[in-house]
Amino acid sequence: MTTILIVEDDVAIAQLLVDILEDAGYTTRPAFNGRLAVAALEQALPDLILSDMMMPIMDGRELCRILQTTVRYQSIPLVLMSAVTMSLDGCTPAAVLAKPFRVATLLALVERLLRPAEQDSQELDETRS
C-alpha cells in the first residue's frame, strides 16, 4: 500500500488532504510540523511527503534540507505546498504546489511522482519471474 506523509500545521487542511488522498486509495500519516515529520520518518518511510512550507517548530524548507542530507530519506519525493511565493533557500523538492490547489491537480501530481517507484517495482517483479 502506498503511504503519504502529510506535514501540515493547519488541522483543517491536514484533514482535507487525508480525506482526498484516502478516497483516492492512499494510506496517509499526519504530522503537524517538520520535527514530528522527522520522528515519523524514523518509525517508517513513506512513499511520498506532502509538506506545508510555513509551519512552527520546523518549516518545510528545513525538513527538505534534512531529507536531502540524510541518505536514508533522499529517495522520498517531497512536495512543498504554500499559499505565498517564497525562496526555497537551498531546498530542491520534487515539486511545489501552490495553495489553494485543485483536487485534480493534487492527485495528478501525486500519481506522477509515485509512478516511477511503482514502475520500478513492477519491472523488478517481472525480472524475477
Side-chain angles (χ1 to χ4, degrees):
M1 175 115 357
T2 303
T3 302
I4 300 173
L5 179 61
I6 298 170
V7 189
E8 172 62 64
D9 62 314
D10 184 313
V11 176
I13 294 172
Q15 187 59 55
L16 178 65
L17 289 166
V18 166
D19 292 345
I20 291 167
L21 294 166
E22 289 188 354
D23 284 349
Y26 299 105
T27 299
T28 62
R29 292 181 11 225
F32 297 104
N33 62 57
R35 187 178 300 156
L36 292 173
V38 172
L41 290 170
E42 292 171 4
Q43 300 302 312
L45 297 179
D47 298 289
L48 176 75
I49 300 170
L50 291 175
S51 177
D52 188 19
M53 199 143 16
M54 295 173 45
M55 295 178 290
I57 302 175
M58 180 190 294
D59 70 10
R61 291 174 297 187
E62 181 61 24
L63 174 61
C64 181
R65 287 189 286 277
I66 289 171
L67 295 173
Q68 290 175 183
T69 58
T70 306
V71 173
R72 183 172 184 236
Y73 306 145
Q74 289 174 348
S75 64
I76 305 168
L78 170 68
V79 176
L80 286 177
M81 304 175 294
S82 183
V84 297
T85 303
M86 297 177 64
S87 165
L88 294 177
D89 236 7
C91 167
T92 53
V96 175
L97 183 62
K99 291 179 181 178
F101 50 82
R102 293 176 167 213
V103 171
T105 302
L106 170 68
L107 293 175
L109 177 60
V110 167
E111 183 179 329
R112 180 177 61 83
L113 291 173
L114 290 172
R115 189 175 306 131
E118 291 171 0
Q119 286 175 346
D120 291 346
S121 175
Q122 289 173 353
E123 289 171 9
L124 184 60
D125 289 344
E126 289 171 8
T127 60
R128 290 181 181 164
S129 302

